[in-house]
Amino acid sequence: MSSLNPFEPSDLFHTQNINLDPFVENFPIFFYLEYLILNPNYVFKSTETLSYEQLSEHISGYIIGKVEGSQEYHSHISALAVDNQYRRLKISSNVLLECFKNISDYISKVKFIDLFVKCDNKLALNLYENIGYNIYRRVIGYYDNIREPSLKSTNNDNLDAYDMRLCLERDNFQSMKNGGPNNRCLPKDVVFK
Ligand SMILES: CC(C)(COP(=O)(O)OP(=O)(O)OC[C@H]1O[C@@H](n2cnc3c(N)ncnc32)[C@H](O)[C@@H]1OP(=O)(O)O)[C@@H](O)C(=O)NCCC(=O)NCCS
């Protein structure tokens, strides 16, 4: 059975296996530490007990997020990853994302949760859509580190991101107004009031 625990700086040395998956976002170490200092509620891990006698535990997944915006006050998921050997056991949907939603809804009381997912990450898209997230817009060239993207560029599932949102009750679906996969924008347009 999975348990939820706060993420600690030393856990960064025990998540390399998880981070080898090409769909997992890898960041410089200061990024994780900054999140831990500024948004401790939003950085946590799931663990599995391997041996009750020795009380040894293994990190099966983690989630990293933050709150941002004032008028568009919301929480943002910056990274979500589950170890390959613990996948398809609902650790993401029933443990990590469920807890993230509860903190967002009942503690921070935000309007919505958002995240970016590569358009070709079908597995993650399925996961988010299954639990109620909707595509708000397509961000052209979000993952393109080489060229300056333009709205005239054709869609490229490997370089574009879907900005997905889960509207919480107090938002009354306002944050999804005019949203959808045909709502295209550039990375520079992703700013929050
Ligand atoms: C995406 C990821 C986080 C899913 O974690 P998980 O704990 O295995 O997901 P869950 O068990 O909660 O799966 C929930 C749903 O997601 C979808 N899903 C998850 N894995 C899938 C797979 N291998 N194939 C098809 N659908 C899949 C299914 O709809 C599944 O529901 P179902 O099992 O009832 O069919 C995990 O595969 C991962 O770490 N991937 C690499 C990193 C990544 O893509 N992160 C998201 C970036 S935004």
Side-chain angles (χ1 to χ4, degrees), residues 60-93:
S60 52
Y62 66 83
I63 192 163
I64 296 176
K66 60 181 173 183
V67 280
E68 59 186 359
S70 48
Q71 271 167 272
E72 294 176 286
Y73 183 53
H74 67 282
S75 55
H76 176 77
I77 298 174
S78 304
L80 164 72
V82 168
D83 189 325
N84 216 358
Q85 56 176 318
Y86 293 101
R87 287 197 184 162
R88 213 76 195 261
L89 297 173
K90 303 275 181 201
I91 289 178
S92 286
S93 37

mmCIF file of all heavy atoms in Angstrom, residues 60-93:
data_model
loop_
_atom_site.group_PDB
_atom_site.id
_atom_site.type_symbol
_atom_site.label_atom_id
_atom_site.label_comp_id
_atom_site.label_asym_id
_atom_site.label_seq_id
_atom_site.Cartn_x
_atom_site.Cartn_y
_atom_site.Cartn_z
ATOM 1 N N SER A 60 7.985 5.529 -4.741
ATOM 2 C CA SER A 60 7.343 5.028 -5.966
ATOM 3 C C SER A 60 6.950 6.165 -6.904
ATOM 4 O O SER A 60 6.717 5.944 -8.090
ATOM 5 C CB SER A 60 6.126 4.184 -5.623
ATOM 6 O OG SER A 60 5.264 4.891 -4.754
ATOM 7 N N GLY A 61 6.858 7.383 -6.384
ATOM 8 C CA GLY A 61 6.482 8.499 -7.254
ATOM 9 C C GLY A 61 6.570 9.816 -6.510
ATOM 10 O O GLY A 61 6.763 9.839 -5.291
ATOM 11 N N TYR A 62 6.456 10.894 -7.263
ATOM 12 C CA TYR A 62 6.468 12.218 -6.605
ATOM 13 C C TYR A 62 5.731 13.235 -7.466
ATOM 14 O O TYR A 62 5.493 13.023 -8.667
ATOM 15 C CB TYR A 62 7.907 12.693 -6.319
ATOM 16 C CG TYR A 62 8.727 12.982 -7.557
ATOM 17 C CD1 TYR A 62 8.642 14.198 -8.213
ATOM 18 C CD2 TYR A 62 9.589 12.019 -8.075
ATOM 19 C CE1 TYR A 62 9.383 14.453 -9.359
ATOM 20 C CE2 TYR A 62 10.342 12.264 -9.221
ATOM 21 C CZ TYR A 62 10.232 13.481 -9.856
ATOM 22 O OH TYR A 62 10.954 13.732 -10.998
ATOM 23 N N ILE A 63 5.381 14.330 -6.822
ATOM 24 C CA ILE A 63 4.715 15.432 -7.528
ATOM 25 C C ILE A 63 5.309 16.733 -7.006
ATOM 26 O O ILE A 63 5.646 16.838 -5.814
ATOM 27 C CB ILE A 63 3.181 15.360 -7.334
ATOM 28 C CG1 ILE A 63 2.435 16.306 -8.277
ATOM 29 C CG2 ILE A 63 2.786 15.639 -5.909
ATOM 30 C CD1 ILE A 63 0.952 15.969 -8.405
ATOM 31 N N ILE A 64 5.499 17.697 -7.912
ATOM 32 C CA ILE A 64 6.078 18.984 -7.533
ATOM 33 C C ILE A 64 5.163 20.073 -8.070
ATOM 34 O O ILE A 64 4.818 20.068 -9.255
ATOM 35 C CB ILE A 64 7.475 19.154 -8.160
ATOM 36 C CG1 ILE A 64 8.411 18.101 -7.598
ATOM 37 C CG2 ILE A 64 8.038 20.544 -7.923
ATOM 38 C CD1 ILE A 64 9.781 18.134 -8.230
ATOM 39 N N GLY A 65 4.774 21.004 -7.218
ATOM 40 C CA GLY A 65 3.889 22.054 -7.694
ATOM 41 C C GLY A 65 4.022 23.334 -6.901
ATOM 42 O O GLY A 65 4.881 23.462 -6.016
ATOM 43 N N LYS A 66 3.160 24.285 -7.241
ATOM 44 C CA LYS A 66 3.211 25.598 -6.583
ATOM 45 C C LYS A 66 1.855 26.294 -6.755
ATOM 46 O O LYS A 66 1.011 25.822 -7.520
ATOM 47 C CB LYS A 66 4.302 26.455 -7.210
ATOM 48 C CG LYS A 66 4.091 26.713 -8.694
ATOM 49 C CD LYS A 66 5.223 27.542 -9.280
ATOM 50 C CE LYS A 66 5.088 27.645 -10.791
ATOM 51 N NZ LYS A 66 6.178 28.361 -11.435
ATOM 52 N N VAL A 67 1.682 27.423 -6.059
ATOM 53 C CA VAL A 67 0.502 28.260 -6.329
ATOM 54 C C VAL A 67 0.988 29.528 -7.014
ATOM 55 O O VAL A 67 2.104 30.000 -6.734
ATOM 56 C CB VAL A 67 -0.272 28.640 -5.043
ATOM 57 C CG1 VAL A 67 -1.161 27.520 -4.566
ATOM 58 C CG2 VAL A 67 0.632 29.116 -3.950
ATOM 59 N N GLU A 68 0.163 30.084 -7.894
ATOM 60 C CA GLU A 68 0.552 31.313 -8.585
ATOM 61 C C GLU A 68 -0.682 32.065 -9.068
ATOM 62 O O GLU A 68 -1.784 31.540 -9.063
ATOM 63 C CB GLU A 68 1.507 31.010 -9.752
ATOM 64 C CG GLU A 68 0.932 30.087 -10.789
ATOM 65 C CD GLU A 68 1.932 29.682 -11.867
ATOM 66 O OE1 GLU A 68 3.095 30.125 -11.843
ATOM 67 O OE2 GLU A 68 1.533 28.911 -12.749
ATOM 68 N N GLY A 69 -0.474 33.329 -9.489
ATOM 69 C CA GLY A 69 -1.562 34.168 -10.000
ATOM 70 C C GLY A 69 -2.318 34.836 -8.871
ATOM 71 O O GLY A 69 -2.298 34.374 -7.734
ATOM 72 N N SER A 70 -2.969 35.974 -9.163
ATOM 73 C CA SER A 70 -3.820 36.596 -8.148
ATOM 74 C C SER A 70 -5.283 36.541 -8.613
ATOM 75 O O SER A 70 -6.092 35.829 -8.037
ATOM 76 C CB SER A 70 -3.362 38.018 -7.835
ATOM 77 O OG SER A 70 -3.146 38.749 -9.012
ATOM 78 N N GLN A 71 -5.618 37.263 -9.715
ATOM 79 C CA GLN A 71 -6.976 37.113 -10.262
ATOM 80 C C GLN A 71 -7.222 35.667 -10.700
ATOM 81 O O GLN A 71 -8.293 35.133 -10.506
ATOM 82 C CB GLN A 71 -7.142 38.007 -11.487
ATOM 83 C CG GLN A 71 -7.630 39.408 -11.161
ATOM 84 C CD GLN A 71 -7.453 40.264 -12.392
ATOM 85 O OE1 GLN A 71 -6.394 40.846 -12.595
ATOM 86 N NE2 GLN A 71 -8.468 40.330 -13.226
ATOM 87 N N GLU A 72 -6.187 35.110 -11.338
ATOM 88 C CA GLU A 72 -6.298 33.718 -11.796
ATOM 89 C C GLU A 72 -5.557 32.816 -10.815
ATOM 90 O O GLU A 72 -4.643 32.084 -11.189
ATOM 91 C CB GLU A 72 -5.708 33.578 -13.198
ATOM 92 C CG GLU A 72 -6.470 34.332 -14.253
ATOM 93 C CD GLU A 72 -5.781 34.245 -15.608
ATOM 94 O OE1 GLU A 72 -4.746 34.918 -15.787
ATOM 95 O OE2 GLU A 72 -6.250 33.502 -16.460
ATOM 96 N N TYR A 73 -5.937 32.925 -9.548
ATOM 97 C CA TYR A 73 -5.254 32.199 -8.478
ATOM 98 C C TYR A 73 -5.444 30.680 -8.680
ATOM 99 O O TYR A 73 -6.569 30.183 -8.691
ATOM 100 C CB TYR A 73 -5.850 32.656 -7.150
ATOM 101 C CG TYR A 73 -5.204 32.064 -5.932
ATOM 102 C CD1 TYR A 73 -3.830 32.140 -5.738
ATOM 103 C CD2 TYR A 73 -5.981 31.434 -4.955
ATOM 104 C CE1 TYR A 73 -3.249 31.612 -4.611
ATOM 105 C CE2 TYR A 73 -5.406 30.909 -3.818
ATOM 106 C CZ TYR A 73 -4.026 30.991 -3.657
ATOM 107 O OH TYR A 73 -3.460 30.454 -2.534
ATOM 108 N N HIS A 74 -4.345 29.993 -8.857
ATOM 109 C CA HIS A 74 -4.449 28.560 -9.161
ATOM 110 C C HIS A 74 -3.202 27.826 -8.688
ATOM 111 O O HIS A 74 -2.187 28.458 -8.354
ATOM 112 C CB HIS A 74 -4.622 28.362 -10.675
ATOM 113 C CG HIS A 74 -3.413 28.759 -11.459
ATOM 114 N ND1 HIS A 74 -3.095 30.060 -11.736
ATOM 115 C CD2 HIS A 74 -2.419 28.023 -12.003
ATOM 116 C CE1 HIS A 74 -1.971 30.112 -12.433
ATOM 117 N NE2 HIS A 74 -1.534 28.888 -12.598
ATOM 118 N N SER A 75 -3.277 26.516 -8.666
ATOM 119 C CA SER A 75 -2.057 25.748 -8.380
ATOM 120 C C SER A 75 -1.577 25.118 -9.684
ATOM 121 O O SER A 75 -2.375 24.898 -10.607
ATOM 122 C CB SER A 75 -2.298 24.700 -7.294
ATOM 123 O OG SER A 75 -3.370 23.880 -7.641
ATOM 124 N N HIS A 76 -0.275 24.901 -9.735
ATOM 125 C CA HIS A 76 0.332 24.417 -10.966
ATOM 126 C C HIS A 76 1.156 23.158 -10.679
ATOM 127 O O HIS A 76 1.939 23.144 -9.725
ATOM 128 C CB HIS A 76 1.245 25.525 -11.536
ATOM 129 C CG HIS A 76 1.998 25.088 -12.750
ATOM 130 N ND1 HIS A 76 1.411 24.996 -13.991
ATOM 131 C CD2 HIS A 76 3.285 24.680 -12.902
ATOM 132 C CE1 HIS A 76 2.316 24.567 -14.856
ATOM 133 N NE2 HIS A 76 3.459 24.364 -14.226
ATOM 134 N N ILE A 77 0.973 22.136 -11.502
ATOM 135 C CA ILE A 77 1.786 20.918 -11.357
ATOM 136 C C ILE A 77 2.985 21.040 -12.287
ATOM 137 O O ILE A 77 2.832 21.120 -13.504
ATOM 138 C CB ILE A 77 0.962 19.663 -11.717
ATOM 139 C CG1 ILE A 77 -0.228 19.534 -10.765
ATOM 140 C CG2 ILE A 77 1.843 18.413 -11.682
ATOM 141 C CD1 ILE A 77 -1.192 18.405 -11.118
ATOM 142 N N SER A 78 4.182 21.096 -11.719
ATOM 143 C CA SER A 78 5.389 21.253 -12.533
ATOM 144 C C SER A 78 5.972 19.909 -12.935
ATOM 145 O O SER A 78 6.599 19.795 -13.988
ATOM 146 C CB SER A 78 6.452 22.037 -11.757
ATOM 147 O OG SER A 78 5.921 23.268 -11.360
ATOM 148 N N ALA A 79 5.807 18.893 -12.122
ATOM 149 C CA ALA A 79 6.312 17.561 -12.471
ATOM 150 C C ALA A 79 5.509 16.497 -11.732
ATOM 151 O O ALA A 79 5.104 16.698 -10.579
ATOM 152 C CB ALA A 79 7.793 17.443 -12.116
ATOM 153 N N LEU A 80 5.280 15.400 -12.426
ATOM 154 C CA LEU A 80 4.604 14.234 -11.838
ATOM 155 C C LEU A 80 5.280 13.015 -12.437
ATOM 156 O O LEU A 80 5.448 12.931 -13.656
ATOM 157 C CB LEU A 80 3.119 14.233 -12.220
ATOM 158 C CG LEU A 80 2.378 12.910 -12.006
ATOM 159 C CD1 LEU A 80 2.165 12.642 -10.511
ATOM 160 C CD2 LEU A 80 1.024 12.911 -12.714
ATOM 161 N N ALA A 81 5.699 12.089 -11.603
ATOM 162 C CA ALA A 81 6.372 10.897 -12.140
ATOM 163 C C ALA A 81 6.172 9.717 -11.205
ATOM 164 O O ALA A 81 6.140 9.873 -9.985
ATOM 165 C CB ALA A 81 7.863 11.177 -12.312
ATOM 166 N N VAL A 82 6.026 8.542 -11.818
ATOM 167 C CA VAL A 82 5.886 7.298 -11.043
ATOM 168 C C VAL A 82 6.916 6.306 -11.572
ATOM 169 O O VAL A 82 7.122 6.186 -12.778
ATOM 170 C CB VAL A 82 4.433 6.746 -11.170
ATOM 171 C CG1 VAL A 82 4.337 5.336 -10.623
ATOM 172 C CG2 VAL A 82 3.457 7.661 -10.442
ATOM 173 N N ASP A 83 7.562 5.624 -10.652
ATOM 174 C CA ASP A 83 8.559 4.608 -10.994
ATOM 175 C C ASP A 83 7.913 3.548 -11.901
ATOM 176 O O ASP A 83 6.801 3.099 -11.638
ATOM 177 C CB ASP A 83 9.024 3.966 -9.673
ATOM 178 C CG ASP A 83 10.210 3.045 -9.860
ATOM 179 O OD1 ASP A 83 10.295 2.370 -10.908
ATOM 180 O OD2 ASP A 83 11.048 2.990 -8.951
ATOM 181 N N ASN A 84 8.663 3.163 -12.938
ATOM 182 C CA ASN A 84 8.176 2.186 -13.907
ATOM 183 C C ASN A 84 7.570 0.937 -13.265
ATOM 184 O O ASN A 84 6.549 0.431 -13.700
ATOM 185 C CB ASN A 84 9.381 1.775 -14.762
ATOM 186 C CG ASN A 84 8.976 1.541 -16.178
ATOM 187 O OD1 ASN A 84 7.789 1.653 -16.499
ATOM 188 N ND2 ASN A 84 9.924 1.194 -17.014
ATOM 189 N N GLN A 85 8.199 0.436 -12.204
ATOM 190 C CA GLN A 85 7.711 -0.831 -11.624
ATOM 191 C C GLN A 85 6.449 -0.660 -10.771
ATOM 192 O O GLN A 85 5.889 -1.655 -10.319
ATOM 193 C CB GLN A 85 8.813 -1.523 -10.829
ATOM 194 C CG GLN A 85 9.418 -0.688 -9.747
ATOM 195 C CD GLN A 85 10.429 -1.489 -8.934
ATOM 196 O OE1 GLN A 85 10.206 -2.634 -8.603
ATOM 197 N NE2 GLN A 85 11.549 -0.871 -8.632
ATOM 198 N N TYR A 86 6.008 0.581 -10.566
ATOM 199 C CA TYR A 86 4.784 0.793 -9.777
ATOM 200 C C TYR A 86 3.682 1.449 -10.605
ATOM 201 O O TYR A 86 2.744 1.996 -10.068
ATOM 202 C CB TYR A 86 5.080 1.671 -8.554
ATOM 203 C CG TYR A 86 5.968 0.990 -7.545
ATOM 204 C CD1 TYR A 86 7.323 1.275 -7.477
ATOM 205 C CD2 TYR A 86 5.445 0.036 -6.667
ATOM 206 C CE1 TYR A 86 8.143 0.642 -6.557
ATOM 207 C CE2 TYR A 86 6.261 -0.603 -5.750
ATOM 208 C CZ TYR A 86 7.605 -0.297 -5.705
ATOM 209 O OH TYR A 86 8.409 -0.927 -4.793
ATOM 210 N N ARG A 87 3.821 1.388 -11.921
ATOM 211 C CA ARG A 87 2.843 2.084 -12.766
ATOM 212 C C ARG A 87 1.541 1.306 -12.923
ATOM 213 O O ARG A 87 1.502 0.107 -12.732
ATOM 214 C CB ARG A 87 3.462 2.344 -14.143
ATOM 215 C CG ARG A 87 4.494 3.444 -14.021
ATOM 216 C CD ARG A 87 4.843 4.031 -15.354
ATOM 217 N NE ARG A 87 5.896 5.013 -15.163
ATOM 218 C CZ ARG A 87 6.668 5.472 -16.111
ATOM 219 N NH1 ARG A 87 6.507 5.038 -17.340
ATOM 220 N NH2 ARG A 87 7.587 6.370 -15.848
ATOM 221 N N ARG A 88 0.517 2.037 -13.307
ATOM 222 C CA ARG A 88 -0.819 1.473 -13.580
ATOM 223 C C ARG A 88 -1.457 0.889 -12.328
ATOM 224 O O ARG A 88 -2.281 0.002 -12.380
ATOM 225 C CB ARG A 88 -0.697 0.403 -14.676
ATOM 226 C CG ARG A 88 -1.905 0.291 -15.623
ATOM 227 C CD ARG A 88 -1.938 1.394 -16.617
ATOM 228 N NE ARG A 88 -3.223 1.526 -17.297
ATOM 229 C CZ ARG A 88 -3.484 1.050 -18.507
ATOM 230 N NH1 ARG A 88 -2.562 0.427 -19.192
ATOM 231 N NH2 ARG A 88 -4.677 1.238 -19.048
ATOM 232 N N LEU A 89 -1.037 1.411 -11.175
ATOM 233 C CA LEU A 89 -1.618 0.965 -9.900
ATOM 234 C C LEU A 89 -2.410 2.104 -9.272
ATOM 235 O O LEU A 89 -2.711 2.073 -8.093
ATOM 236 C CB LEU A 89 -0.497 0.524 -8.931
ATOM 237 C CG LEU A 89 0.362 -0.661 -9.354
ATOM 238 C CD1 LEU A 89 1.526 -0.860 -8.394
ATOM 239 C CD2 LEU A 89 -0.499 -1.925 -9.409
ATOM 240 N N LYS A 90 -2.657 3.136 -10.066
ATOM 241 C CA LYS A 90 -3.423 4.315 -9.620
ATOM 242 C C LYS A 90 -2.659 5.164 -8.603
ATOM 243 O O LYS A 90 -3.283 5.896 -7.829
ATOM 244 C CB LYS A 90 -4.781 3.902 -9.025
ATOM 245 C CG LYS A 90 -5.643 3.092 -9.973
ATOM 246 C CD LYS A 90 -6.435 3.996 -10.875
ATOM 247 C CE LYS A 90 -7.320 3.179 -11.796
ATOM 248 N NZ LYS A 90 -7.741 3.891 -12.979
ATOM 249 N N ILE A 91 -1.332 5.035 -8.575
ATOM 250 C CA ILE A 91 -0.566 5.875 -7.638
ATOM 251 C C ILE A 91 -0.704 7.337 -8.052
ATOM 252 O O ILE A 91 -0.882 8.220 -7.210
ATOM 253 C CB ILE A 91 0.912 5.423 -7.578
ATOM 254 C CG1 ILE A 91 0.976 4.074 -6.859
ATOM 255 C CG2 ILE A 91 1.781 6.462 -6.852
ATOM 256 C CD1 ILE A 91 2.351 3.474 -6.749
ATOM 257 N N SER A 92 -0.678 7.612 -9.358
ATOM 258 C CA SER A 92 -0.861 9.000 -9.802
ATOM 259 C C SER A 92 -2.267 9.481 -9.510
ATOM 260 O O SER A 92 -2.462 10.493 -8.832
ATOM 261 C CB SER A 92 -0.648 9.123 -11.311
ATOM 262 O OG SER A 92 0.686 9.031 -11.594
ATOM 263 N N SER A 93 -3.246 8.753 -10.051
ATOM 264 C CA SER A 93 -4.606 9.284 -9.960
ATOM 265 C C SER A 93 -5.176 9.257 -8.544
ATOM 266 O O SER A 93 -5.731 10.253 -8.091
ATOM 267 C CB SER A 93 -5.542 8.570 -10.936
ATOM 268 O OG SER A 93 -5.229 7.227 -11.030
#
